[in-house]
């Protein structure tokens, strides 16, 4: 009888631990990374897009860095509280420079 009691306790505690692990260690988070373009001479930001994969977000950021005339690419990890606060504090501009429309659209397609 004592063995049955230990098995039951083990099942209950194991189930609880697995639920706690699931809450603490998340898998892939939908749209975790946000890519923003910062204007190099004005205090303006444009929203490029979001991605679940970090590699895609960094590729889009690097594409903006290398090909844009007016914008600097920034990648935010929205699961990091500091990055999320900084991203939410940015005022997103609804328009972008005509020179860089093609580059920004290409970056959006990469996400």
């Amino acid at each position: 009888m004592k063995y049955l009691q230990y098995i039951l306790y083990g099942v209950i505690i194991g189930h609880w631990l697995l639920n706690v692990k699931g809450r603490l260690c998340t898998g892939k988070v939908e749209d975790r990374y946000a890519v923003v373009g910062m204007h190099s001479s004005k205090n303006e930001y444009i929203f490029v897009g979001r991605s679940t994969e970090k590699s895609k977000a960094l590729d889009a950021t690097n594409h903006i860095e290398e090909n844009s005339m007016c914008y600097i690419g920034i990648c935010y990890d929205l699961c990091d509280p500091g990055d999320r606060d900084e991203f939410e504090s940015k005022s997103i501009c609804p328009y972008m420079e005509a020179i860089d429309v093609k580059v920004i659209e290409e970056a959006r397609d990469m996400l």
Side-chain angles (χ1 to χ4, degrees):
M1 193 65 180
K2 199 71 159 165
Y3 293 117
L4 185 61
Q5 180 183 1
Y6 291 144
I7 290 172
L8 185 61
Y9 286 152
V11 168
I12 292 170
I13 292 173
H15 182 69
W16 179 79
L17 286 174
L18 287 175
N19 283 336
V20 169
K21 179 193 173 277
R23 286 189 301 243
L24 292 177
C25 304
T26 59
K28 284 191 173 185
V29 176
E30 191 72 26
D31 295 337
R32 177 178 179 172
Y33 301 98
V35 179
V36 174
M38 179 180 77
H39 200 284
S40 57
S41 62
K42 302 176 188 174
N43 191 15
E44 294 179 352
Y45 299 88
I46 58 168
F47 179 70
V48 177
R50 290 185 177 198
S51 176
T52 304
E53 298 177 25
K54 185 175 185 175
S55 61
K56 287 184 179 181
L58 291 177
D59 288 343
T61 303
N62 291 337
H63 182 73
I64 293 170
E65 288 278 336
E66 294 169 1
N67 299 316
S68 177
M69 298 294 288
C70 300
Y71 293 100
I72 300 167
I74 304 172
C75 181
Y76 291 107
D77 181 358
L78 298 180
C79 286
D80 179 19
D83 277 359
R84 186 176 52 245
D85 291 341
E86 186 177 340
F87 174 72
E88 290 173 354
S89 71
K90 303 294 182 201
S91 59
I92 303 297
C93 186
Y95 60 88
M96 66 183 90
E97 296 289 335
I99 299 171
D100 291 327
V101 170
K102 182 181 177 201
V103 174
I104 299 300
E105 291 300 323
E106 289 171 353
R108 285 180 177 157
D109 290 339
M110 295 172 92
L111 299 173

